[in-house]
């Protein structure tokens, strides 16, 4: 059959206007929150936001329309020509228009989202999209096999609705492993993150293995029983392997980090930011150096070799060391609190849980030294135990300390940092 004739005879072009209209209506109304956050130029964050919302729709379109096409083949007796013509070739021809529509339900919103956020596609984002398109193809093959096996018209809505609801059902369960097998990644993909190979392989193995198993009976093997046994064994093996991989994962599956594009500049310290937010990195370096000099004059050890923005490790924070600091540089620059962010990182306690009262004095003092004491007070105002008397206590005590000479203030800081750990208490 000629390509144009095949496309015209397919159900995909007929339902395409309705499907795409519904997809863009959903995109315009329900994707706003997911696309609201700043992707920092990382396309995987944007693409993931689209996929988490529209992948179940693409699954349903692929499997439902594929079942319809298979049913038409069965009714027209074309499928019985398998002895003369490869059934795989017949299936591929009739699946092509269906897959094109299913893929368009993802590709068009992804393009719109990238354009809306002004983000260029990068390798992690394209890999994530290719992963989703592959899963759609597997669902289409499974739907086609369902239409071949059961030719009643009721099988079409049953397959489409079941496919759609099964994915949504998995997201509402208290046990996390079913979700990990659908291809939907819980928790948005943050800057520089990407699912590990195992996180990608588990849903791919289950979907592709099932698709291969249901398509196996179309092969010209001599015995029908043998084909059935091989299909069942393949599905079982893939299901067990996929479940074994994800059964112990928490709600958010494993992810690797460090895939985002960073821009680094300057020496002593070297400052690193996401490339998309590095337009004014020279100004930021200047303010960073001035702040570090102020802290050193106050007696603090503030000579890091590098400062890296926290965006690179948002989900899995990387603790700072004496030489390499992790600081909220972008947030500080955007909110005018850069000096406070750096000053807070300069404070070093020898314990994980310093005493709250003393630690607050230390943080307020160092914030005052860089000229941003109100920033720290504003942060404290979000804590339930920070009352008006506590505010007055901190301000009065630190005011007394600031009237001392530099040597006395440095001595007080060292004693307070040691005392905070000796006293013990909650982390501030």
């Amino acid at each position: 059959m000629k390509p144009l004739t095949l496309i015209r005879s397919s159900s995909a072009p007929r339902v395409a206007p309705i499907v795409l209209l519904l997809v863009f209506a959903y995109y315009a109304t329900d994707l706003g929150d997911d696309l609201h956050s700043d992707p920092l130029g990382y396309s995987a964050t944007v693409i993931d936001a689209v996929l988490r919302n529209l992948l179940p729709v693409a699954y349903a379109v692929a499997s439902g329309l594929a079942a319809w096409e298979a049913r038409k083949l069965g009714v027209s007796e074309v499928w019985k020509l398998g002895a003369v013509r490869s059934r795989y070739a017949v299936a591929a021809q009739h699946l092509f228009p269906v897959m094109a529509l299913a893929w368009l339900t993802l590709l068009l919103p992804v393009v719109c989202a990238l354009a809306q956020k002004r983000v260029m596609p990068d390798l992690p984002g394209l890999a994530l999209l290719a992963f989703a398109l592959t899963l759609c193809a597997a669902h289409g093959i499974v739907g086609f096999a369902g239409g071949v096996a059961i030719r009643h018209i009721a099988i079409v809505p049953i397959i489409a609705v079941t496919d759609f609801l099964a994915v949504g059902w998995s997201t509402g369960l208290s046990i996390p492993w079913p979700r990990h097998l659908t291809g939907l990644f819980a928790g948005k993909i943050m800057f520089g993150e990407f699912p590990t190979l195992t996180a990608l392989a588990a849903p791919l193995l289950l979907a592709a293995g099932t698709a291969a198993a249901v398509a196996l009976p179309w092969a010209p093997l001599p015995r029908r029983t043998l084909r059935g046994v091989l299909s069942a064994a393949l599905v079982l093996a893939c299901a067990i392997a996929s479940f074994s991989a994800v059964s112990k994962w928490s709600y958010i599956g494993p992810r690797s980090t460090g895939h985002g594009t960073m821009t680094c500049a300057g020496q002593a310290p070297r400052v690193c930011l996401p490339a998309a937010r590095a337009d004014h990195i020279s100004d930021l370096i200047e303010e960073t150096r001035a702040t570090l000099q102020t802290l050193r004059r106050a007696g603090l050890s503030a000579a890091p070799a590098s400062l890296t923005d926290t965006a690179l490790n948002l989900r899995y924070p990387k603790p700072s060391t004496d030489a390499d600091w992790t600081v909220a540089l972008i947030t500080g620059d955007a909110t005018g609190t850069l000096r406070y962010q750096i000053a807070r990182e300069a404070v070093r306690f020898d314990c994980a849980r310093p005493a709250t009262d003393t630690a607050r004095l230390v943080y307020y003092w160092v914030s005052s030294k860089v000229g941003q004491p109100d920033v720290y007070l504003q942060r404290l105002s979000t804590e339930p135990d920070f009352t008006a008397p506590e505010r007055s206590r901190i301000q009065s005590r630190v005011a007394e300390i600031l009237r001392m000479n530099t040597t006395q203030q440095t001595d007080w800081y060292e004693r307070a940092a040691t005392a905070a750990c000796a006293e013990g208490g909650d982390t501030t």
Side-chain angles (χ1 to χ4, degrees), residues 80-87:
K80 290 184 178 180
L81 299 177
V84 179
R85 186 181 178 195
S86 169
R87 286 179 172 174

Side-chain angles (χ1 to χ4, degrees), residues 11 24 26 43 46 64 66 84 97 116 118 134 139 154 159 177 193-194 214 229 257 260 290 339 363 389 394 416:
S11 58
F24 278 104
Y26 189 77
S43 71
V46 179
V84 179
Q116 178 183 338
R118 299 180 181 179
T134 303
H139 281 254
I159 286 179
W177 66 262
E193 286 187 346
F194 195 74
V214 297
V229 171
T257 58
R339 285 174 290 159
Y363 283 127
I394 293 174

Side-chain angles (χ1 to χ4, degrees), residues 33-381:
D33 291 341
D34 286 315
L35 292 175
H36 181 69
S37 60
D38 186 355
L40 298 174
Y42 189 55
S43 71
T45 300
V46 179
I47 293 174
D48 171 65
V50 175
L51 296 182
R52 281 187 289 115
N53 287 273
L54 294 179
L55 197 55
V57 177
Y59 286 169
V61 169
S63 60
L65 291 182
W68 177 269
E69 293 300 311
R71 176 183 171 276
K72 287 197 307 180
L73 286 176
V75 172
S76 63
E77 303 297 324
V78 173
W79 195 246
K80 290 184 178 180
L81 299 177
V84 179
R85 186 181 178 195
S86 169
R87 286 179 172 174
Y88 292 113
V90 173
Q93 283 187 340
H94 286 79
L95 278 174
F96 173 74
V98 171
M99 286 300 100
L101 177 58
W103 287 351
L104 279 176
T105 63
L106 297 178
L107 290 171
L108 292 180
V110 162
V111 171
C112 290
L114 291 173
Q116 178 183 338
K117 302 302 292 185
R118 299 180 181 179
V119 173
M120 292 295 294
D122 52 23
L123 184 59
L126 293 176
L128 199 61
L129 183 58
F131 165 79
L133 297 180
T134 303
L135 287 177
C136 279
H139 281 254
I141 294 172
V142 173
F144 190 89
V148 166
I150 306 172
R151 297 177 182 175
H152 195 281
I153 192 171
I155 193 62
V156 175
I158 289 175
I159 286 179
V161 173
T162 300
D163 206 358
F164 180 84
L165 293 181
V167 178
W169 163 79
S170 69
T171 63
L173 293 177
S174 58
I175 52 175
W177 66 262
R179 180 173 188 133
H180 297 309
L181 296 179
T182 65
L184 295 181
F185 299 109
K188 69 177 182 179
I189 292 182
M190 298 180 179
F191 177 78
E193 286 187 346
F194 195 74
T196 62
L197 288 178
T198 305
L200 295 173
L204 279 176
L205 177 63
L206 181 61
T210 303
V214 297
L216 187 60
W218 308 341
L221 295 178
R223 294 183 181 180
R224 186 174 181 179
T225 303
L226 176 61
R227 287 179 286 177
V229 171
L230 290 176
S231 296
L234 182 58
V235 169
L236 184 62
C238 291
I240 291 175
S242 299
F243 172 76
S244 300
V246 306
S247 60
K248 296 182 181 179
W249 291 355
S250 60
Y251 183 70
I252 296 178
R255 295 178 185 176
S256 57
T257 58
H259 301 284
T261 303
M262 301 287 286
T263 294
C264 297
Q267 294 293 335
R270 185 170 179 79
V271 174
C272 296
L273 301 173
R277 296 295 174 269
D279 295 343
H280 308 292
I281 193 170
S282 56
D283 296 335
L284 192 146
I285 291 173
E286 217 174 289
E287 187 170 1
T288 297
R289 287 175 176 168
T291 302
L292 292 174
Q293 288 176 358
T294 300
L295 292 171
R296 286 193 292 268
R297 285 197 297 268
L300 279 74
S301 176
S306 68
L307 277 78
T308 303
D309 187 71
T310 53
L312 194 60
N313 297 281
L314 282 174
R315 193 182 306 278
Y316 309 108
K318 182 180 178 181
S320 296
T321 64
D322 291 339
D324 301 301
W325 291 10
T326 302
V327 184
L329 298 172
I330 292 178
T331 300
D333 187 43
T335 60
T337 62
L338 180 61
R339 285 174 290 159
Y340 163 75
Q341 302 292 348
I342 296 173
R344 186 176 175 86
E345 202 60 41
V347 175
R348 288 286 184 269
F349 292 108
D350 292 331
C351 59
R353 299 174 64 84
T356 300
D357 291 347
T358 306
R360 283 176 173 174
L361 291 175
V362 171
Y363 283 127
Y364 186 64
W365 171 78
V366 76
S367 301
S368 300
K369 297 301 289 186
V370 296
Q372 294 193 321
D374 292 340
V375 177
Y376 181 61
L377 290 179
Q378 186 176 2
R379 176 194 176 279
L380 286 181
S381 65

